[in-house]
Amino acid sequence: MCHHCVVESVKQKMLDRRSLFRGGAAAALTAVAAAATGPAQAADPVMKGLSHDLTHELYPDFPTFFGVQQFWMDQKFNYAEHKFNLFELRVNEHTGTHMDAPLHFSADGKSVAEIPVENLVVPLCVVDIREKAAASADAQVTPDDLTAWIAANGPIPKNACVAMNSGWDAHVATDKFRNADDKKVMHFPGFHIEASKMLIEDGNAVGIAVDTLSLDFGPSPDFATHYGWLPTGRWGLECVANLGAMPAAGGVMVVGAPKIRGGTGGPSRVIGMV
């Protein structure tokens, strides 16, 4: 076979593989969308291709639960001297927009690397409690909020993430994000333990997400939601951003969780698709 023919043959095979990949990716997203919105709207995320970044930018001074620095960047090479840039990173797993794996609050739960990939591309249910949170920093997602969401949008889809939109992401660059009082008790919204129990009993949610520093509300004395939710094999996301850009129902969340052996969580790139 001539050289030109070989080149053309290889090019065609590569194009065929790309087409196959695109078709497979579209089919996968359509399947998730079908669970989130029903058959009539199943192709919308693929056809529209609208996406939103649900991730805060991570930097050394990003606010943390303990109020101390948890992310460091040490530049080892720079372009002026070495003709390339390279940083060595040191990070607490639970910094910035990040995942809580089951292992975080259990003796032998799944590590972040062991979470099945099919549980990381999921229908997204957004529970809007912004009005409550504006009235009280200690607002929580309750069973009543979940019941109202279901009444308006239908049952929670299988393998879903249920996210709290309290509007707290708007405070990320201010002291209000931690909102600590004179006794160093923080005040921000979270999931009530009874709401997490309701989701466990329903059985369809594999994850919950908050736009604050903790799955539990700020003044929680016992991390009840963490201890009630994570040991069941489900995951949580904290410090999620831009949930206001997502619809209450019909969206898809893609969680780029780190695949760290034995990790209890880690900073994650989270994308919402509509």
Side-chain angles (χ1 to χ4, degrees):
M1 183 179 292
C2 68
H3 176 74
H4 175 75
C5 295
V6 171
V7 171
E8 289 303 312
S9 176
V10 170
K11 285 171 60 178
Q12 187 58 50
K13 287 180 180 179
M14 290 175 67
L15 290 171
D16 290 343
R17 288 181 180 178
R18 289 176 185 175
S19 298
L20 179 62
F21 174 79
R22 285 196 297 269
L29 286 171
T30 299
V32 174
T37 65
Q41 301 176 16
D44 281 359
V46 178
M47 293 175 66
K48 294 180 180 178
L50 300 179
S51 59
H52 299 280
D53 195 345
L54 307 185
T55 317
H56 285 293
E57 186 177 33
L58 185 56
Y59 50 92
D61 294 331
F62 192 92
T64 66
F65 185 87
F66 296 108
V68 296
Q69 183 176 349
Q70 294 184 179
F71 178 63
W72 295 263
M73 300 175 65
D74 181 13
Q75 187 159 16
K76 296 296 185 179
F77 298 90
N78 64 81
Y79 193 84
E81 184 179 356
H82 307 103
K83 296 306 179 184
F84 67 96
N85 293 304
L86 186 149
F87 288 86
E88 182 174 274
L89 308 181
R90 182 161 65 93
V91 61
N92 178 306
E93 293 172 307
H94 301 274
T95 307
T97 302
H98 69 274
M99 171 171 280
D100 284 4
L103 183 59
H104 185 35
F105 270 73
S106 61
D108 56 1
K110 282 185 170 64
S111 73
V112 68
E114 294 172 321
I115 296 173
V117 70
E118 59 267 25
N119 288 352
L120 298 176
V121 182
V122 295
L124 178 61
C125 309
V126 179
V127 180
D128 191 337
I129 66 161
R130 285 177 289 185
E131 187 174 340
K132 287 203 309 182
S136 171
D138 295 334
Q140 298 183 72
V141 175
T142 65
D144 286 345
D145 294 314
L146 297 180
T147 299
W149 188 96
I150 292 169
N153 301 286
I156 294 170
K158 185 174 177 58
N159 280 16
C161 174
V162 178
M164 174 191 79
N165 178 18
S166 69
W168 217 252
D169 58 329
H171 306 309
V172 72
T174 72
D175 290 340
K176 190 172 181 178
F177 197 64
R178 294 187 76 250
N179 205 27
D181 60 24
D182 293 341
K183 296 181 180 179
K184 299 184 179 180
V185 175
M186 293 179 290
H187 298 273
F188 51 73
F191 269 83
H192 194 284
I193 179 60
E194 294 302 325
S196 67
K197 287 180 178 178
M198 180 176 171
L199 291 174
I200 292 168
E201 291 171 3
D202 175 76
N204 282 326
V206 297
I208 57 176
V210 296
D211 52 5
T212 58
L213 281 164
S214 176
L215 303 180
D216 289 272
F217 77 141
S220 171
D222 54 9
F223 294 105
T225 297
H226 277 84
Y227 280 113
W229 181 258
L230 297 176
T232 66
R234 296 168 170 87
W235 50 259
L237 288 173
E238 295 171 336
C239 298
V240 176
N242 300 326
L243 285 168
M246 298 299 294
V252 174
M253 174 183 275
V254 181
V255 184
K259 196 170 184 179
I260 300 172
R261 184 179 299 178
T264 72
S268 303
R269 189 67 179 263
V270 184
I271 299 169
M273 298 183 66
V274 183

